[in-house]
Amino acid sequence: MGSGGWRKTKYVEGVSDQSPKCAVRPRAMGLHRFAFLWEAFDRRLLFVVGGPDASAARMLAVVLLVFGCHRDDASTGPVEAVWGRFGYSEGRFETPRAIAIDRADHLYIVDKTARIQVFTADGQFIRQWSTPDHAHGKPTGLSIDRDGNVLVADTHYFQVLVYSPEGTLLRTLGGKKGEKPGEFGLVTGTAQDSQGNIYIAEYGEFDRIQKFKPDGRTFMLQWGGHGTEPGQFIRPQKIVFDERDHLWVTDAGNHRIQVFDTQGKLLKIWGSQGDAAGQLYYPYDLALGPNDTLYVCEYGNHRIQKFTRDGQSLACWGTSGRSVGQLFNPWGLVRDSRGKIDVLDTNNYRVQRIVMK
């Protein structure tokens, strides 16, 4: 596959291509012989597929839907492309753990080599760079600021690194471990409100969100704390602002979503631990959608779930496994300008692009 991008893959009759290094465009293929291998695995379905026929493809979509989301009335969508494989060269991944997207639909992905790789929307490698130090740990969060710069949550160095899109280090926020204003624990993510103020989430001892003026240094306020009560967190992994300046937080260890205003006032909270539709299990990322919807990436449930912004489940996509259309501990997702969802399929070392209805 070279340094990136997807290609069609020929299926061998009766065998499912389990290799994460292969890229396919399943919508361009049908399936004629359809064999199921029924096994109990995390209460989901493992399957073996082969040969061309459209009716079997539709049957597969139904099976993935029912067993992936445990409901009959949800909807899902096709896999459009799969790209990436394990490795250390350009376009390959070693446990990718965060993904971000810019206004040009360029994808930024950081993995456990501490590389930030940049790709086109179709997975073609553009460039890469690495964080300055990573002996103590690798970044676990990425976001794009209002100026198009790349904000890297340099988790184990208690700081945020701000890069130009080309990989030039522009400034560093934080860098000292502690509980005082401007000091950090394990940084997970950043976001900016409509005024350019910067919010930084962290977990570990403190589990809080700090707010700074646009310079990233002038402290304004903080909220949170380690715990299970409303307004507290256990690993706030992703923070994202919506068009109303409401801050959405994936409270991963509490298996829920919390929403705040710019002063830290709790506006909304929903979610509970489980694998049924509407429940969550380690939500690590979210992306806002149109018509007051959002998409949540569940690390623990190996799936993407679409919700109304009031927490009603609309659809699920994904099951646990290594085949195309399955996920293995996904860390992230983004929604591009075309409405396509790119899922960071972490322990399969790849990205899957889907259209979720």
Side-chain angles (χ1 to χ4, degrees):
M1 203 165 55
S3 62
W6 56 267
R7 60 174 175 83
K8 295 181 182 178
T9 297
K10 183 177 180 180
Y11 269 65
V12 177
E13 182 177 339
V15 180
S16 172
D17 190 335
Q18 303 286 326
S19 172
K21 68 186 179 184
C22 290
V24 303
R25 205 178 190 184
R27 193 167 65 170
M29 298 184 297
L31 301 169
H32 96 256
R33 269 202 195 88
F34 208 64
F36 290 105
L37 175 60
W38 299 88
E39 290 183 27
F41 179 75
D42 195 22
R43 288 172 289 181
R44 291 174 174 81
L45 179 69
L46 294 180
F47 56 89
V48 178
V49 222
D53 183 80
S55 62
R58 286 193 293 272
M59 190 186 303
L60 172 60
V62 172
V63 171
L64 285 174
L65 165 64
V66 173
F67 287 87
C69 209
H70 301 275
R71 60 184 288 182
D72 296 330
D73 59 342
S75 62
T76 186
V79 179
E80 282 207 344
V82 183
W83 50 273
R85 59 183 293 183
F86 178 81
Y88 302 94
S89 58
E90 294 178 354
R92 299 188 183 188
F93 302 113
E94 207 288 76
T95 317
R97 298 199 292 182
I99 184 171
I101 191 167
D102 67 15
R103 286 187 286 268
D105 282 346
H106 290 158
L107 301 172
Y108 298 76
I109 298 175
V110 66
D111 69 5
K112 287 187 75 174
T113 66
R115 293 180 302 167
I116 295 91
Q117 297 189 73
V118 187
F119 300 89
T120 68
D122 290 323
Q124 296 294 333
F125 176 84
I126 301 175
R127 59 182 170 271
Q128 68 177 13
W129 69 88
S130 297
T131 58
D133 300 301
H134 41 80
H136 300 306
K138 316 303 189 296
T140 63
L142 289 176
S143 63
I144 307 296
D145 72 11
R146 293 164 60 85
D147 297 321
N149 295 317
V150 184
L151 278 62
V152 179
D154 197 9
T155 307
H156 301 277
Y157 289 85
F158 322 111
Q159 63 188 3
V160 175
L161 303 174
V162 183
Y163 288 93
S164 73
E166 292 73 34
T168 300
L169 182 60
L170 303 176
R171 57 178 174 153
T172 300
L173 310 179
K176 182 178 180 181
K177 182 181 179 181
E179 61 182 342
K180 296 179 181 177
E183 299 176 343
F184 297 103
L186 299 169
V187 177
T188 55
T190 60
Q192 273 188 303
D193 64 23
S194 63
Q195 304 303 307
N197 298 311
I198 298 173
Y199 299 70
I200 300 176
E202 57 190 284
Y203 81 102
E205 299 176 61
F206 312 123
D207 283 287
R208 63 182 176 179
I209 295 172
Q210 296 190 61
K211 177 181 178 180
F212 300 87
K213 288 186 176 180
D215 62 10
R217 303 184 185 282
T218 305
F219 174 82
M220 299 180 72
L221 60 91
Q222 66 178 17
W223 72 90
H226 183 83
T228 60
E229 295 298 317
Q232 294 182 317
F233 306 111
I234 299 178
R235 189 166 183 150
Q237 179 62 34
K238 183 71 173 189
I239 55 176
V240 176
F241 271 103
D242 68 15
E243 63 280 356
R244 302 179 183 91
D245 256 1
H246 294 163
L247 184 65
W248 292 74
V249 183
T250 57
D251 186 8
N254 282 321
H255 316 289
R256 65 190 181 187
I257 304 296
Q258 300 198 67
V259 187
F260 301 88
D261 69 12
T262 56
Q263 298 304 306
K265 177 183 177 182
L266 180 63
L267 303 175
K268 194 179 297 186
I269 181 172
W270 49 262
S272 62
Q273 181 176 345
D275 64 358
Q279 294 184 310
L280 298 168
Y281 193 45
Y282 292 103
Y284 266 23
D285 202 353
L286 66 82
L288 300 172
N291 305 316
D292 282 338
T293 59
L294 74 154
Y295 303 85
V296 178
C297 175
E298 297 180 65
Y299 175 89
N301 276 333
H302 316 282
R303 70 184 179 188
I304 306 302
Q305 195 165 178
K306 182 180 180 180
F307 290 92
T308 68
R309 296 192 189 180
D310 289 324
Q312 177 185 351
S313 179
L314 300 174
C316 296
W317 184 91
T319 60
S320 176
R322 295 192 178 277
S323 296
V324 171
Q326 295 184 310
L327 299 169
F328 190 0
N329 296 133
W331 271 65
L333 81 169
V334 293
R335 182 177 182 272
D336 69 19
S337 63
R338 304 164 294 179
K340 314 277 177 84
I341 307 296
D342 289 289
V343 183
L344 194 62
D345 190 4
T346 298
N347 285 331
N348 284 324
Y349 316 106
R350 65 188 179 188
V351 174
Q352 299 196 60
R353 188 173 73 216
I354 65 173
V355 179
M356 197 166 179
K357 298 176 182 178

